[in-house]
Amino acid sequence: DTEVTQTPKHLVMGMTNKKSLKCEQHMGHRAMYWYKQKAKKPPELMFVYSYEKLSINESVPSRFSPECPNSSLLNLHLHALQPEDSALYLCASSQDGGTSTDTQYFGPGTRLTVL
Amino acid sequence: AQKVTQAQTEISVVEKEDVTLDCVYETRDTTYYLFWYKQPPSGELVFLIRRNSFDEQNEISGRYSWNFQKSTSSFNFTITASQVVDSAVYFCALSGVMNTGFQKLVFGTGTRLLVSP
């Protein structure tokens, strides 16, 4: 059983909506990640939080806004998305993110459709 | 720059056949880690194995085995006696540290394995 949970599993939203994706990990990890995955492609890194601070933003448009309320929770706030933002959004966590030795554990993902 | 190549886009086998998924990587780092993840149709990426660059011993876990060869920069994955439940996309990934000091996983493009009964 995965120890990284994501809600909702599926989300359909219009371009003017505001919604949030939620991720929670129960492994005591201090690094958390958001990835975007388009069909038949590998995951692409969006954001990295380490010790609750945003450490990496891979040039993601401002319509995606991450938030890390505490070390176990990670949110992704969505606003004014475009149809091309439809994808599987994966959350992951790892020990601390600061070394190449970390293993990232992924959640089940949220399938987002933007109409 | 780091790169992972999975040349096999899709492989189809019949149940009980053995299948090998290839992974070739490029890196200038002397210390690095390699990973395999499984992504079933449900979408979750499931961690299978991590190897470090100093450990070239092959590893076996049940029906799964991994062959790491530094000389050819390859980290291949073999499933013995495949089962329908093995049907998934398999990603090979290379771990490095960005110049910001944080880990980045470089994924291959994935190999879709279809096991039919």
Side-chain angles (χ1 to χ4, degrees):
Chain A
D1 287 344
T2 183
E3 294 187 71
V4 179
T5 58
Q6 290 186 243
T7 55
K9 290 194 74 170
H10 301 274
L11 179 62
V12 179
M13 60 186 290
M15 290 190 283
T16 58
N17 291 157
K18 285 185 180 181
K19 296 286 184 183
S20 297
L21 309 184
K22 297 185 184 301
C23 174
E24 187 169 9
Q25 57 93 6
H26 306 282
M27 293 179 281
H29 290 165
R30 302 312 299 268
M32 297 186 76
Y33 310 76
W34 279 116
Y35 285 85
K36 173 182 177 179
Q37 186 180 22
K38 300 285 278 184
K40 300 193 176 186
K41 297 287 187 182
E44 295 175 23
L45 183 63
M46 299 174 72
F47 303 104
V48 179
Y49 271 84
S50 180
Y51 292 86
E52 298 154 54
K53 290 184 181 176
L54 181 63
S55 304
I56 300 293
N57 176 340
E58 291 281 88
S59 304
V60 179
S62 59
R63 57 186 185 268
F64 295 91
S65 174
E67 178 197 17
C68 189
N70 61 55
S71 59
S72 301
L73 293 172
L74 186 65
N75 298 322
L76 186 63
H77 302 297
L78 314 172
H79 174 54
L81 294 193
Q82 304 296 310
E84 58 265 29
D85 296 321
S86 298
L88 178 67
Y89 288 84
L90 292 161
C91 173
S93 71
S94 71
Q95 201 68 42
D96 69 11
T99 71
S100 61
T101 66
D102 265 15
T103 295
Q104 293 184 28
Y105 294 91
F106 287 80
T110 294
R111 289 196 185 275
L112 174 67
T113 303
V114 182
L115 301 177
Chain B
Q2 297 184 318
K3 186 179 177 182
V4 175
T5 301
Q6 294 180 256
Q8 304 150 309
T9 305
E10 188 166 316
I11 301 175
S12 292
V13 299
V14 177
E15 215 171 14
K16 297 185 183 175
E17 283 186 28
D18 298 348
V19 59
T20 295
L21 283 61
D22 298 332
C23 173
V24 174
Y25 63 93
E26 295 174 31
T27 181
R28 292 182 180 174
D29 293 345
T30 53
T31 302
Y32 52 89
Y33 285 76
L34 294 160
F35 300 80
W36 276 96
Y37 285 89
K38 173 183 179 180
Q39 188 172 40
S42 59
E44 178 181 353
L45 272 166
V46 178
F47 165 69
L48 296 178
I49 190 171
R50 181 186 82 178
R51 289 305 261 185
N52 74 53
S53 51
F54 297 107
D55 183 359
E56 289 194 67
Q57 277 194 325
N58 290 337
E59 180 147 346
I60 298 174
S61 176
R63 296 184 298 106
Y64 295 171
S65 62
W66 290 269
N67 180 259
F68 176 33
Q69 293 201 336
K70 220 168 168 178
S71 60
T72 55
S73 296
S74 66
F75 185 42
N76 297 337
F77 172 31
T78 297
I79 301 175
T80 303
S82 59
Q83 299 176 2
V84 173
V85 293
D86 296 325
S87 297
V89 178
Y90 291 85
F91 289 99
C92 180
L94 171 65
S95 177
V97 177
M98 295 183 273
N99 52 17
T100 52
F102 290 93
Q103 183 198 47
K104 182 164 186 173
L105 282 180
V106 177
F107 287 92
T109 49
T111 297
R112 181 176 300 275
L113 175 65
L114 178 60
V115 183
S116 45

